C-alpha cells in the first residue's frame, strides 16, 4: 500500500489564527467545566445552608418552660412545614434522645429509625418510604447550636437529584447566556485574525520590496524604519548581505573595466607594428587574431559600462536605429557574399532608450546573423509597431536546449565555427534588461534563427515624426 502524504504549506497568518482559535475554544470549554464543577459544589453548599437556616429558625422559637424545652413556631412557619408534604421536616430531641416536638409523625419516626452515630455528623443522606412505597432520599443534619445542653434539633429536606439540578442550571444558562458564546468566539477570532494580519503587514511589505531587488536595481535596500523589533534583525541582515554583494559586484566590474583599458594600449601598439610588417599570410593571420582581441576588449568595456552606469534614456525611433545599423553593416555582409535588408514600420516606433546602447545591441545581433547565415542568403531586420525589432537569418538555427544558454557570457555552442568570444549576445541581454525589455530567440520562417528585441516602454507619437 502506497503511503501518500500531503504536505500543505499553511501561511503564518493561517497557523496563528488556527492555533488561537483552538486556544479560545479550549478556554471556553475549560470555563464550562469549571462552572459545572462549581455548580456541584454550590449544590452541596446550598443543602448545608438550607438545613442551617431551618435549624436557626426553629432554635429562635424554642424556650425552656418549667424545666422543659417548648417549641412554639409561628403559624406561617408551621403551615409551611405542613404544606411541604414532608419535603421539609424537623424534630427536637431531649438529652435522652426522646422526640419532644416534630413537624409530622413521619419526621418523628424518621429520627427514631436513624442510628445514634449519625448525630455526630453534620450532614447525612437517608431514605424514607413514601406513600407509594418508593424510597425518597433526604439530606439531614443534627444541630445543637443555641439550645440547652444535650438538646438537639434534627432537620431534613428532600434531596433534589443532582442531574436534574444541573440540567436546570444548564438549560437556564443556555437560554440566557450560552447563545452568546459562539458570538463571542466568532468576534474574538475576527479580532485575532485582523490583529495578526495587521501585525504581519511589515513582513509583507518587506517581501514586496525584496521582490523588486534585481541585477538592475542592486542599490535598493529593505526598509528598517517602522519595522517591529522582533523582525528588525531580518532586514538588517539582508541589507548587510546586499551591501557585500554590491561591493563584490562593483569590484568585479571595476576589474573588468581596468583589465580592458590596460589591454587596449598594448593591442594598439601590436596592431601598429603588424601594419609595418610585409603583407604575408602569417602577418594577415596575426592581424586577424589581434582584431578579434580588440573586439573582445571592446565588448568587455561595453559590459562594464552596462553594469556600472545608468543609461541616459530619451525618445528614439526604432526605425531610425535599425536603418543606421543596417547601413553600417551592409558592406560587411556584401563582403561575405551575403546581404542584409530592412523592413521598417510604416509609422515611427518611439521608445524611451539609449540610442547608442540599442544600436550596439542590434549591431551584435546582425553581426551574429551575418556570421551564421548561409552564403548567398539575406539577413532580414524587421521593425514592428509593437516596439520590437526582429533579426532573421538562414543559418542552422539555435537548438531548443541551448536557447537558455546562448545569452550567458563566454558561452559558445558546440560545432560553431564563429570565432567570437561569446560576449555579443550577453551584451544584448544586459542592454534589454537595462531598458526594461527582453530578448528572445526562436525559429525563423523558412529555417534559421530569429532574435527579437522587445521593448516595454512604447511612446505613441502625438505628431508626425520628423528627423
Amino acid at each position: 500500500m502506497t503511503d501518500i502524504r500531503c504536505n500543505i504549506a499553511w501561511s503564518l497568518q493561517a497557523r496563528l489564527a488556527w492555533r488561537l482559535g483552538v486556544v479560545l475554544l479550549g478556554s471556553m470549554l475549560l470555563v464550562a467545566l469549571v462552572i459545572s464543577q462549581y455548580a456541584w459544589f454550590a449544590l452541596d453548599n446550598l443543602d448545608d445552608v438550607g438545613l442551617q437556616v431551618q435549624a436557626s429558625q426553629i432554635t429562635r422559637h424554642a424556650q425552656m418552660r418549667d424545666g422543659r424545652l417548648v417549641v412554639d413556631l409561628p403559624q406561617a412557619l408551621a403551615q409551611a412545614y405542613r404544606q411541604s408534604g414532608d419535603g421539609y421536616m424537623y424534630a427536637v430531641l431531649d438529652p435522652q434522645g426522646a422526640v419532644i416536638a416534630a413537624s409530622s409523625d413521619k419526621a418523628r419516626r424518621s429520627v427514631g429509625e436513624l442510628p445514634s452515630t449519625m448525630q455526630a455528623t453534620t450532614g447525612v443522606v437517608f431514605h424514607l418510604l413514601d406513600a407509594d412505597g418508593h424510597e425518597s432520599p433526604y439530606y439531614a443534619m443534627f444541630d445543637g447550636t443555641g439550645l440547652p445542653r444535650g438538646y438537639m434539633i434534627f432537620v431534613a429536606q428532600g434531596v433534589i437529584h443532582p442531574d436534574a439540578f444541573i440540567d436546570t442550571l444548564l438549560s437556564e444558562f443556555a437560554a440566557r447566556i450560552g447563545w452568546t458564546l459562539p458570538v463571542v468566539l466568532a468576534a474574538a477570532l475576527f479580532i485575532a485574525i485582523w490583529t495578526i494580519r495587521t501585525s504581519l503587514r511589515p513582513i509583507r511589505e518587506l517581501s514586496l520590496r525584496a521582490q523588486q531587488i534585481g541585477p538592475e536595481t542592486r542599490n535598493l535596500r529593505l526598509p528598517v524604519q517602522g519595522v517591529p523589533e522582533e523582525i528588525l534583525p531580518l532586514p538588517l541582515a539582508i541589507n548587510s548581505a546586499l551591501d557585500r554583494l554590491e561591493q563584490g559586484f562593483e569590484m568585479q566590474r571595476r576589474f573588468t573595466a581596468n583589465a580592458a583599458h590596460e589591454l587596449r594600449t598594448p593591442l594598439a601598439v601590436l596592431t601598429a607594428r603588424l601594419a609595418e610588417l610585409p603583407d604575408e599570410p602569417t602577418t594577415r593571420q596575426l592581424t586577424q587574431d589581434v582584431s578579434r582581441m580588440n573586439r573582445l576588449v571592446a565588448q568587455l568595456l561595453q559590459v562594464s559600462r552596462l553594469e556600472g552606469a545608468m543609461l541616459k534614456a530619451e525618445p528614439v525611433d526604432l526605425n531610425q536605429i535599425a536603418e543606421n545599423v543596417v547601413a553600417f553593416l551592409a558592406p560587411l555582409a556584401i563582403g561575405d557574399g551575403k546581404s542584409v535588408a530592412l523592413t521598417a514600420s510604416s509609422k515611427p516606433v518611439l521608445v524611451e532608450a539609449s540610442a547608442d546602447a540599442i544600436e550596439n545591441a542590434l549591431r551584435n545581433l546582425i553581426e551574429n546573423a551575418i556570421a551564421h547565415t548561409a552564403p548567398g542568403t539575406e539577413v532580414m531586420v524587421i521593425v514592428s509597431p509593437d516596439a520590437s525589432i526582429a533579426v532573421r537569418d538562414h543559418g542552422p538555427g539555435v537548438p531548443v536546449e541551448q536557447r537558455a544558454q546562448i545569452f550567458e557570457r563566454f558561452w559558445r555552442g558546440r560545432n560553431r565555427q564563429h570565432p567570437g568570444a561569446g560576449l555579443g549576445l550577453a551584451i544584448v541581454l544586459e542592454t534589454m534588461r537595462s531598458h526594461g525589455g527582453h530578448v528572445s530567440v526562436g525559429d525563423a520562417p523558412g529555417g534559421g534563427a530569429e532574435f527579437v528585441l522587445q521593448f516595454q516602454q512604447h511612446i505613441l507619437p502625438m505628431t508626425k515624426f520628423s528627423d
Side-chain angles (χ1 to χ4, degrees), residues 152-313:
M152 298 289 291
I153 293 180
F154 165 79
V155 287
Q157 64 183 27
V159 177
I160 301 176
H161 196 277
D163 290 342
F165 180 81
I166 295 298
D167 290 343
T168 303
L169 179 64
L170 292 179
S171 63
E172 290 292 327
F173 178 80
R176 299 180 182 274
I177 302 176
W179 65 270
T180 63
L181 293 181
V183 177
V184 172
L185 179 61
L189 281 176
F190 176 79
I191 295 174
I193 293 174
W194 176 81
T195 303
I196 293 171
R197 187 175 182 83
T198 54
S199 300
L200 295 179
R201 185 176 299 164
I203 298 180
R204 291 195 297 272
E205 293 176 351
L206 290 176
S207 300
L208 294 176
R209 184 62 177 270
Q211 292 176 359
Q212 300 174 4
I213 301 176
E216 298 81 22
T217 55
R218 297 186 302 272
N219 59 332
L220 290 181
R221 294 296 181 267
L222 299 182
V224 295
Q225 299 295 332
V227 177
E229 182 178 355
E230 294 81 1
I231 307 175
L232 184 59
L234 179 61
L236 290 177
I238 294 177
N239 287 342
S240 178
L242 291 174
D243 290 338
R244 294 192 296 270
L245 289 175
E246 177 69 17
Q247 292 174 3
F249 189 88
E250 181 62 23
M251 290 176 60
Q252 179 184 2
R253 187 197 66 81
R254 206 175 298 147
F255 171 79
T256 302
N258 292 339
H261 277 291
E262 292 296 326
L263 288 173
R264 293 181 67 183
T265 300
L267 286 176
V269 173
L270 184 58
T271 301
R273 290 181 178 178
L274 287 174
E276 298 174 357
L277 296 177
D279 186 11
E280 299 177 352
T282 302
T283 303
R284 288 194 295 270
Q285 182 63 43
L286 289 175
T287 302
Q288 292 178 2
D289 293 339
V290 172
S291 177
R292 285 195 294 269
M293 293 180 66
N294 278 315
R295 177 172 173 78
L296 173 59
V297 170
Q299 288 179 333
L300 287 173
L301 286 173
Q302 292 171 9
V303 171
S304 64
R305 292 192 187 103
L306 288 173
E307 292 176 343
M310 296 295 294
L311 297 177
K312 183 179 180 180

Side-chain angles (χ1 to χ4, degrees), residues 109-121:
R109 291 194 306 270
S110 299
V111 176
E113 295 172 358
L114 292 176
S116 59
T117 54
M118 287 189 176
Q119 297 183 13
T121 59

